[in-house]
């Protein structure tokens, strides 16, 4: 069983899906939030998982120092795989290289469409017929690594960014545990 750390910044509904999934390839061993007192931390503790806050604000502009503290916690907890789940900090080459092949993210669009923010509004504005979510390996370029899995759905005429966000999130909650279990089973 691979030991997974989940990095969050807020609500943590994807973390919850990863915790709840019935599978035997990974175990959530640690949750780290860069924002104090978010729901994601409470979800971890309710599941009996150690939860730490490493507040990026303590490090000012030094992003690498912030990441070195995260990296040290991951090593202490003997983590095999790092899963970003609504973690809203862009990672530096230091961290991305240190965890290459073992660092995954979930993104609310059908990548390579709409990397970055406001994906639901952008899919609507473009008049797309479908939308969805992607789980991918993290590389230095934002939202650009190898795709591990995608889930899509049709966009309906009366959809808004909010209705899309809600339906995509439901797709995310199924997709992420499947992709993470597959990755965990495939790495040494
Ligand atoms: C999810 O929709 C996730 O795909 C998105 O933030 C939300 C987090 O929700 N992530 C990104 O936009 C990353 N660029 P959650 O905290 O309830 O899992």
């Amino acid at each position: 069983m691979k030991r997974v750390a989940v990095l969050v910044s807020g609500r943590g509904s994807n973390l919850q899906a990863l915790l709840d999934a019935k599978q035997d390839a990974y175990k959530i061993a640690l949750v780290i939030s860069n924002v104090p007192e978010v729901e994601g931390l409470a979800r971890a503790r309710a599941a009996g998982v150690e939860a730490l806050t490493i507040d990026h604000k303590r490090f000012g502009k030094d992003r690498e120092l912030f990441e070195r503290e995260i990296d040290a916690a991951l090593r202490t907890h003997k983590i095999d795989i790092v899963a970003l789940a609504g973690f809203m900090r862009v990672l530096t080459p230091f961290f991305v290289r240190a965890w290459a092949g073992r660092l995954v993210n979930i993104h609310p669009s059908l990548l390579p469409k709409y990397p970055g923010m406001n994906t639901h509004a952008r899919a609507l504005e473009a008049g797309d017929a479908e939308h969805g979510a992607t789980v991918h390996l993290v590389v230095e370029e934002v939202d650009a690594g190898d795709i591990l899995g995608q889930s899509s759905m049709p966009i309906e005429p009366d959809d808004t960014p909010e209705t899309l966000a809600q339906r995509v999130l439901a797709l995310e909650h199924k997709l992420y545990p499947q992709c993470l279990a597959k990755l965990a089973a495939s790495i040494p």
Side-chain angles (χ1 to χ4, degrees), residues 6-17 39-40 43 84-89 105-109 114-120 132-134 136 142-143 165 168-170 172-173 176:
V6 183
L7 273 49
V8 301
S9 299
R11 179 179 57 185
S13 71
N14 276 291
L15 162 65
Q16 191 69 58
E39 203 181 340
R43 289 180 192 269
L84 309 180
F87 182 70
M88 294 309 198
R89 307 296 297 171
N105 181 42
I106 187 154
H107 183 76
S109 78
Y114 318 125
M117 305 293 284
N118 303 318
T119 57
H120 309 302
T134 303
H136 63 95
V142 173
D143 299 328
V168 168
L169 195 64
E172 292 181 40
H173 294 164
Y176 210 177

Side-chain angles (χ1 to χ4, degrees), residues 108 118-132 153-169:
N118 303 318
T119 57
H120 309 302
R122 287 156 71 198
L124 275 181
E125 274 159 28
D128 289 357
E130 58 167 21
H131 187 41
M153 61 181 207
I155 295 183
E156 307 295 345
D158 56 353
D159 266 320
T160 64
E162 292 71 31
T163 61
L164 285 182
Q166 212 173 24
R167 295 216 308 290
V168 168
L169 195 64

Side-chain angles (χ1 to χ4, degrees), residues 33-38 41 53 55:
S33 172
N34 67 305
V35 182
E37 287 165 26
V38 293
L41 290 165
T53 300
D55 188 343

